[in-house]
Amino acid sequence: MSKQKVALVTGASRGIGRTVAKGLAEQGYRVAALARTTQALAELGQEIGDPDNFMAVECDVTNDSSVIAAVDCTTDKWDRVDVLFNNAGILRLGTLDLATDEFDTQLQTNLRAAWFVMKTVVPHMRKQGSGQVINLASRSGKFGFPGFGAYAASKFGLLGINEALMKELAPQGIKVTAICPSWVNTDMADQSGCSLPPVEMIQPDDILLTINWLLSLSPAACVQDVVLFCRKTISA
């Protein structure tokens, strides 16, 4: 069985997921990059330029069969998953004014899909006796903001699962951590009307650096969650 570490990244075609997938590949990880947009994944693979250690996998995280197939593809090729970056997500603005189907889509993508990815990957980590699950949550998973109620519900829920799993899996050598950033300089922030200029936002590289720190800790150190604030809005 190969001992080279394997990372599985969801939502890897753009933004934070793309930055993390590329960064981990450059650090020597074998990377399975999952997303619905195959063209963007192919371009990422060309940038990385290491086809033996990079795999683009078309996957819709809201489809259970698609998730199972993607994880099976990864473990069939590389035998293991050492790091899961559970990153795929969407933002729909609104609380009670949000359409019911949009509320359901928000929860389906950000909460249920994230849960099912963990449900599918964690058994492989249990078999190994090691692993690191990193869930991309949000500052909105810690604080409710006007106009973001549905998004907050999905991220509050993800943090609840994250905390429970951290306590369940730590004795088995598996760490579970959530990263909770405020505005990150991505298309999602731009489309959601963030008023901060890009230079004042958290950068995707900051998320990669946070992941690197988590992965550098000793086996004895477990981190439940990390909250990253934008300096300009830290008191808001």
Side-chain angles (χ1 to χ4, degrees):
M1 181 180 292
S2 171
K3 295 300 182 183
Q4 187 173 353
K5 290 189 174 180
V6 175
L8 189 151
V9 179
T10 69
S13 62
R14 62 194 178 102
I16 295 169
R18 185 184 184 90
T19 295
V20 170
K22 186 176 180 181
L24 291 177
E26 290 172 347
Q27 293 166 32
Y29 279 82
R30 288 174 164 165
V31 174
L34 279 56
R36 292 178 296 179
T37 313
T38 54
Q39 180 59 38
L41 289 179
E43 292 170 359
L44 175 59
Q46 290 173 357
E47 286 182 28
I48 292 171
D50 187 3
D52 291 335
N53 293 311
F54 176 84
M55 179 166 51
V57 185
E58 183 178 2
C59 179
D60 176 358
V61 294
T62 66
N63 182 297
D64 293 356
S65 296
S66 182
V67 170
I68 292 169
V71 174
D72 285 348
C73 184
T74 303
T75 56
D76 286 347
K77 183 172 183 177
W78 290 324
D79 298 317
R80 59 192 298 115
V81 179
D82 298 280
V83 177
L84 165 62
F85 183 44
N86 217 2
N87 164 74
I90 60 172
L91 170 58
R92 297 289 184 265
L93 295 176
T95 305
L96 296 182
D97 53 334
L98 190 66
T100 302
D101 61 340
E102 288 290 287
F103 182 83
D104 291 343
T105 298
Q106 183 86 102
L107 293 183
Q108 173 75 13
T109 306
N110 291 0
L111 182 55
R112 189 197 180 279
W115 168 81
F116 191 79
V117 171
M118 288 186 278
K119 181 178 177 66
T120 307
V121 170
V122 165
H124 296 281
M125 293 181 172
R126 283 194 173 111
K127 184 178 178 181
Q128 298 159 196
S130 64
Q132 172 82 64
V133 175
I134 301 171
N135 292 307
L136 188 71
S138 170
R139 189 182 172 207
S140 290
K142 291 282 190 176
F143 309 94
F145 296 99
F148 289 79
Y151 184 69
S154 69
K155 295 301 186 177
F156 266 79
L158 181 58
L159 286 182
I161 292 173
N162 183 88
E163 181 175 353
L165 272 183
M166 182 198 73
K167 295 171 181 176
E168 291 174 21
L169 297 178
Q172 301 173 47
I174 302 168
K175 299 183 181 185
V176 182
T177 303
I179 300 176
C180 307
S182 182
W183 293 110
V184 183
N185 182 19
T186 62
D187 291 343
M188 181 183 288
D190 183 55
Q191 294 165 4
S192 300
C194 177
S195 61
L196 290 175
V199 71
E200 295 294 348
M201 297 184 203
I202 297 161
Q203 302 303 310
D205 278 340
D206 293 322
I207 307 300
L208 175 61
L209 289 168
T210 303
I211 290 172
N212 290 342
W213 170 70
L214 290 170
L215 296 175
S216 74
L217 297 175
S218 75
C222 295
V223 179
Q224 179 174 316
D225 54 59
V226 181
V227 182
L228 302 177
F229 294 82
C230 294
R231 181 175 60 88
K232 288 286 189 179
T233 61
I234 197 166
S235 61

